[in-house]
Amino acid sequence: VRTGVALNPNTSQDTLHGMRNDTTVNHVVAKNPHARADTLHAIAKHRSTTDWTRQAIAGHSNTSPETLHHMATLKGGSSPVETMLLHRAVALHPSTSPETLHHLSTHKDTKVRAYVASHKNTSPDTLHSMRIDGNREVHQGLINNHHTREDTLHHLVSNHTMSGDMLAATANHPNVGLNTLHSIKSKLAGSGWEKHIDTHIAHKTAGLFNSMDAHRKVLQARLDNNCPGGNHCTHAQKHESRISLKSIKEDDGIKLR
Protein backbone atom coordinates (compact mmCIF):
# COMPACT_ATOMS: atom_id res chain seq x y z
CA VAL A 1 0.00 0.00 0.00
CA ARG A 2 2.74 2.46 0.97
CA THR A 3 4.51 1.79 -2.34
CA GLY A 4 1.34 2.66 -4.21
CA VAL A 5 1.00 5.88 -2.22
CA ALA A 6 4.64 6.78 -2.91
CA LEU A 7 4.17 6.22 -6.65
CA ASN A 8 0.82 8.00 -6.97
CA PRO A 9 1.23 11.38 -8.74
CA ASN A 10 -1.73 12.69 -6.70
CA THR A 11 -0.02 12.08 -3.37
CA SER A 12 0.61 15.40 -1.65
CA GLN A 13 4.13 16.74 -1.20
CA ASP A 14 3.71 16.72 2.58
CA THR A 15 2.73 13.05 2.56
CA LEU A 16 5.73 12.21 0.37
CA HIS A 17 7.97 14.18 2.71
CA GLY A 18 6.64 12.19 5.65
CA MET A 19 7.79 8.98 3.92
CA ARG A 20 11.37 10.20 3.36
CA ASN A 21 12.85 8.06 6.16
CA ASP A 22 10.85 4.93 5.39
CA THR A 23 13.55 2.74 3.87
CA THR A 24 10.98 0.39 2.37
CA VAL A 25 9.52 3.08 0.09
CA ASN A 26 11.74 6.16 0.05
CA HIS A 27 13.45 4.86 -3.10
CA VAL A 28 9.99 5.02 -4.72
CA VAL A 29 9.33 8.49 -3.30
CA ALA A 30 12.52 9.64 -5.08
CA LYS A 31 10.87 8.82 -8.42
CA ASN A 32 7.63 10.72 -7.73
CA PRO A 33 7.62 13.88 -9.88
CA HIS A 34 6.02 15.87 -7.06
CA ALA A 35 8.66 15.11 -4.42
CA ARG A 36 10.03 18.35 -2.99
CA ALA A 37 13.68 19.37 -3.01
CA ASP A 38 14.00 18.93 0.77
CA THR A 39 12.44 15.47 0.52
CA LEU A 40 14.92 14.42 -2.14
CA HIS A 41 17.81 15.89 -0.16
CA ALA A 42 16.84 13.90 2.93
CA ILE A 43 16.65 10.66 0.94
CA ALA A 44 19.98 11.35 -0.79
CA LYS A 45 21.68 11.82 2.59
CA HIS A 46 20.08 8.78 4.26
CA ARG A 47 22.73 6.22 5.20
CA SER A 48 20.76 3.33 3.68
CA THR A 49 20.19 5.01 0.31
CA THR A 50 21.96 3.29 -2.58
CA ASP A 51 23.62 5.02 -5.51
CA TRP A 52 20.93 3.44 -7.68
CA THR A 53 18.31 5.47 -5.81
CA ARG A 54 20.55 8.53 -5.90
CA GLN A 55 20.64 8.21 -9.69
CA ALA A 56 16.86 8.69 -9.68
CA ILE A 57 17.32 11.75 -7.47
CA ALA A 58 20.03 13.10 -9.82
CA GLY A 59 17.54 12.78 -12.67
CA HIS A 60 14.71 14.49 -10.77
CA SER A 61 13.78 18.00 -11.93
CA ASN A 62 13.27 19.23 -8.34
CA THR A 63 16.70 18.21 -7.06
CA SER A 64 18.62 21.19 -5.69
CA PRO A 65 22.22 22.17 -6.52
CA GLU A 66 23.11 21.42 -2.88
CA THR A 67 21.83 17.85 -3.16
CA LEU A 68 23.61 17.34 -6.46
CA HIS A 69 26.88 18.54 -4.92
CA HIS A 70 26.42 16.19 -1.97
CA MET A 71 25.98 13.23 -4.30
CA ALA A 72 28.94 14.24 -6.48
CA THR A 73 31.31 14.42 -3.51
CA LEU A 74 29.94 11.55 -1.39
CA LYS A 75 32.56 8.95 -0.45
CA GLY A 76 32.03 5.19 -0.34
CA GLY A 77 29.28 4.54 -2.85
CA SER A 78 27.37 1.30 -3.43
CA SER A 79 29.75 0.15 -6.18
CA PRO A 80 32.23 1.78 -8.59
CA VAL A 81 29.87 1.31 -11.54
CA GLU A 82 26.81 2.70 -9.74
CA THR A 83 28.83 5.64 -8.43
CA MET A 84 30.12 6.38 -11.94
CA LEU A 85 26.56 6.31 -13.31
CA LEU A 86 25.46 8.60 -10.48
CA HIS A 87 28.19 11.09 -11.33
CA ARG A 88 27.14 11.02 -14.98
CA ALA A 89 23.58 11.84 -13.96
CA VAL A 90 24.79 14.72 -11.76
CA ALA A 91 26.94 16.09 -14.60
CA LEU A 92 23.87 16.09 -16.87
CA HIS A 93 21.44 17.79 -14.46
CA PRO A 94 20.61 21.37 -15.57
CA SER A 95 20.80 22.67 -11.97
CA THR A 96 24.29 21.36 -11.19
CA SER A 97 26.38 24.25 -9.90
CA PRO A 98 29.68 25.53 -11.35
CA GLU A 99 31.42 24.36 -8.16
CA THR A 100 30.14 20.80 -8.56
CA LEU A 101 30.99 20.73 -12.25
CA HIS A 102 34.51 21.90 -11.47
CA HIS A 103 34.83 19.03 -8.99
CA LEU A 104 33.74 16.57 -11.69
CA SER A 105 35.94 18.09 -14.43
CA THR A 106 38.84 15.78 -13.57
CA HIS A 107 36.72 12.66 -13.13
CA LYS A 108 38.33 9.43 -14.35
CA ASP A 109 35.24 8.65 -16.45
CA THR A 110 35.35 10.15 -19.94
CA LYS A 111 31.57 10.58 -20.15
CA VAL A 112 31.46 12.58 -16.92
CA ARG A 113 34.17 14.95 -18.18
CA ALA A 114 32.48 15.28 -21.58
CA TYR A 115 29.16 16.18 -19.90
CA VAL A 116 30.95 18.77 -17.77
CA ALA A 117 32.63 20.25 -20.86
CA SER A 118 29.28 20.77 -22.59
CA HIS A 119 27.28 21.89 -19.52
CA LYS A 120 25.82 25.40 -19.65
CA ASN A 121 26.77 26.06 -16.00
CA THR A 122 30.43 25.14 -16.31
CA SER A 123 32.54 28.26 -15.77
CA PRO A 124 34.92 29.55 -18.47
CA ASP A 125 37.84 28.95 -16.08
CA THR A 126 36.87 25.31 -15.57
CA LEU A 127 36.44 24.87 -19.31
CA HIS A 128 39.90 26.36 -19.84
CA SER A 129 41.42 23.95 -17.32
CA MET A 130 40.00 21.09 -19.42
CA ARG A 131 41.85 22.20 -22.56
CA ILE A 132 44.67 19.75 -21.80
CA ASP A 133 42.31 16.77 -21.64
CA GLY A 134 43.31 14.38 -24.40
CA ASN A 135 39.84 12.95 -25.02
CA ARG A 136 37.97 13.73 -28.24
CA GLU A 137 34.54 13.74 -26.55
CA VAL A 138 35.77 16.35 -24.09
CA HIS A 139 37.11 18.47 -26.97
CA GLN A 140 33.73 18.25 -28.68
CA GLY A 141 32.01 19.38 -25.50
CA LEU A 142 34.32 22.38 -25.20
CA ILE A 143 33.69 23.33 -28.81
CA ASN A 144 29.92 23.06 -28.35
CA ASN A 145 29.91 25.15 -25.17
CA HIS A 146 29.27 28.84 -25.87
CA HIS A 147 31.07 29.81 -22.65
CA THR A 148 34.39 28.46 -23.90
CA ARG A 149 36.90 31.29 -24.21
CA GLU A 150 38.96 32.17 -27.26
CA ASP A 151 42.26 31.19 -25.60
CA THR A 152 40.77 27.77 -24.84
CA LEU A 153 39.67 27.31 -28.44
CA HIS A 154 43.06 28.43 -29.70
CA HIS A 155 44.80 25.89 -27.49
CA LEU A 156 42.57 23.09 -28.76
CA VAL A 157 43.27 23.95 -32.39
CA SER A 158 47.00 24.41 -31.83
CA ASN A 159 47.73 21.43 -29.58
CA HIS A 160 45.33 18.63 -30.47
CA THR A 161 44.58 16.61 -33.57
CA MET A 162 41.05 17.51 -34.63
CA SER A 163 38.87 16.27 -37.47
CA GLY A 164 37.69 18.58 -40.23
CA ASP A 165 34.20 18.62 -38.75
CA MET A 166 35.51 19.65 -35.35
CA LEU A 167 37.69 22.39 -36.83
CA ALA A 168 34.71 23.67 -38.81
CA ALA A 169 32.58 23.63 -35.65
CA THR A 170 35.29 25.62 -33.86
CA ALA A 171 35.18 28.19 -36.66
CA ASN A 172 31.45 28.56 -35.95
CA HIS A 173 32.02 29.28 -32.25
CA PRO A 174 30.90 32.79 -31.22
CA ASN A 175 34.11 33.41 -29.25
CA VAL A 176 36.59 32.25 -31.88
CA GLY A 177 39.24 34.84 -32.76
CA LEU A 178 40.98 35.74 -35.99
CA ASN A 179 44.25 34.06 -35.06
CA THR A 180 42.41 30.82 -34.37
CA LEU A 181 40.45 31.11 -37.62
CA HIS A 182 43.67 31.51 -39.58
CA SER A 183 45.11 28.45 -37.81
CA ILE A 184 41.98 26.49 -38.72
CA LYS A 185 42.24 27.60 -42.33
CA SER A 186 45.85 26.45 -42.44
CA LYS A 187 44.95 23.03 -41.03
CA LEU A 188 42.09 22.65 -43.52
CA ALA A 189 44.12 23.64 -46.56
CA GLY A 190 43.14 21.57 -49.57
CA SER A 191 40.08 20.09 -47.85
CA GLY A 192 37.46 22.27 -49.54
CA TRP A 193 36.64 24.12 -46.32
CA GLU A 194 38.70 27.23 -47.17
CA LYS A 195 35.79 29.26 -48.52
CA HIS A 196 33.75 28.44 -45.41
CA ILE A 197 36.55 29.64 -43.14
CA ASP A 198 37.16 32.73 -45.28
CA THR A 199 33.53 33.71 -44.69
CA HIS A 200 34.04 33.53 -40.93
CA ILE A 201 37.27 35.52 -41.20
CA ALA A 202 35.48 38.21 -43.21
CA HIS A 203 32.63 38.44 -40.68
CA LYS A 204 35.01 38.54 -37.72
CA THR A 205 37.14 41.21 -39.40
CA ALA A 206 34.07 43.33 -40.16
CA GLY A 207 32.95 42.99 -36.55
CA LEU A 208 36.34 44.17 -35.28
CA PHE A 209 36.31 47.12 -37.66
CA ASN A 210 32.85 48.16 -36.43
CA SER A 211 33.81 47.74 -32.77
CA MET A 212 37.04 49.70 -33.08
CA ASP A 213 35.36 52.37 -35.19
CA ALA A 214 32.78 52.87 -32.44
CA HIS A 215 35.55 53.06 -29.85
CA ARG A 216 37.45 55.60 -31.92
CA LYS A 217 34.33 57.77 -32.18
CA VAL A 218 33.88 57.77 -28.42
CA LEU A 219 37.49 58.75 -27.89
CA GLN A 220 37.26 61.40 -30.59
CA ALA A 221 34.21 62.80 -28.85
CA ARG A 222 36.24 63.10 -25.69
CA LEU A 223 38.94 64.92 -27.62
CA ASP A 224 36.23 67.28 -28.88
CA ASN A 225 35.32 68.02 -25.25
CA ASN A 226 32.10 65.97 -25.36
CA CYS A 227 32.78 64.15 -22.09
CA PRO A 228 30.19 62.06 -20.19
CA GLY A 229 27.79 64.22 -18.22
CA GLY A 230 28.54 67.24 -20.34
CA ASN A 231 31.68 68.12 -18.37
CA HIS A 232 34.49 69.91 -20.14
CA CYS A 233 37.48 67.61 -20.71
CA THR A 234 40.49 68.38 -18.60
CA HIS A 235 43.98 68.45 -20.04
CA ALA A 236 44.67 65.05 -18.45
CA GLN A 237 41.53 63.54 -20.06
CA LYS A 238 42.55 64.83 -23.47
CA HIS A 239 46.03 63.38 -23.03
CA GLU A 240 44.58 60.01 -21.97
CA SER A 241 42.21 59.98 -24.94
CA ARG A 242 44.98 60.79 -27.42
CA ILE A 243 47.05 57.89 -26.07
CA SER A 244 44.07 55.49 -26.30
CA LEU A 245 43.19 56.62 -29.81
CA LYS A 246 46.81 56.23 -30.93
CA SER A 247 46.90 52.75 -29.37
CA ILE A 248 43.79 51.62 -31.24
CA LYS A 249 45.11 52.90 -34.56
CA GLU A 250 48.41 51.10 -34.02
CA ASP A 251 46.60 47.89 -33.02
CA ASP A 252 44.43 47.84 -36.14
CA GLY A 253 47.19 46.38 -38.25
CA ILE A 254 47.86 43.63 -35.72
CA LYS A 255 44.29 42.64 -34.90
CA LEU A 256 43.05 42.62 -38.45
CA ARG A 257 45.94 40.85 -40.13
Side-chain angles (χ1 to χ4, degrees), residues 239-257:
H239 181 67
E240 177 189 351
S241 296
R242 287 191 184 98
I243 292 175
S244 299
L245 188 58
K246 181 175 183 291
S247 175
I248 287 180
K249 288 177 178 176
E250 289 175 348
D251 284 349
D252 281 0
I254 299 173
K255 292 182 178 180
L256 300 179
R257 255 204 308 253

Side-chain angles (χ1 to χ4, degrees), residues 58-76:
H60 200 294
S61 60
N62 293 340
T63 302
S64 69
E66 179 187 6
T67 303
L68 292 164
H69 187 73
H70 169 75
M71 294 190 294
T73 57
L74 188 65
K75 303 295 183 183

Side-chain angles (χ1 to χ4, degrees), residues 202-213:
H203 288 166
K204 184 67 66 172
T205 301
L208 282 172
F209 266 125
N210 291 337
S211 175
M212 285 186 287
D213 186 54

Side-chain angles (χ1 to χ4, degrees), residues 11-118:
T11 300
S12 72
Q13 292 183 322
D14 287 343
T15 299
L16 292 170
H17 190 66
M19 304 173 79
R20 68 193 182 281
N21 292 322
D22 187 338
T23 57
T24 63
V25 295
N26 62 5
H27 64 286
V28 181
V29 172
K31 298 177 182 179
N32 192 304
H34 298 297
R36 297 195 311 241
D38 56 341
T39 304
L40 297 168
H41 188 72
I43 297 172
K45 294 192 72 173
H46 200 285
R47 64 180 181 276
S48 67
T49 300
T50 65
D51 282 344
W52 187 259
T53 298
R54 291 190 180 98
Q55 284 180 53
I57 296 173
H60 200 294
S61 60
N62 293 340
T63 302
S64 69
E66 179 187 6
T67 303
L68 292 164
H69 187 73
H70 169 75
M71 294 190 294
T73 57
L74 188 65
K75 303 295 183 183
S78 304
S79 74
V81 173
E82 286 189 17
T83 300
M84 177 191 70
L85 293 174
L86 169 61
H87 291 167
R88 287 183 183 182
V90 171
L92 282 170
H93 198 288
S95 296
T96 301
S97 70
E99 178 189 9
T100 305
L101 291 164
H102 182 76
H103 173 78
L104 294 173
S105 66
T106 56
H107 200 282
K108 62 182 179 181
D109 180 58
T110 298
K111 291 288 186 185
V112 172
R113 301 198 310 277
Y115 295 154
V116 170
S118 60

Side-chain angles (χ1 to χ4, degrees), residues 152-167:
T152 307
L153 296 171
H154 189 74
H155 180 94
L156 290 174
V157 171
S158 302
N159 295 279
H160 296 287
T161 301
M162 299 169 68
S163 68
D165 287 344
M166 291 178 71
L167 288 168

Side-chain angles (χ1 to χ4, degrees), residues 192-209:
W193 282 97
E194 290 93 334
K195 184 176 291 187
H196 173 76
I197 304 303
D198 281 338
T199 300
H200 285 290
I201 290 174
H203 288 166
K204 184 67 66 172
T205 301
L208 282 172
F209 266 125

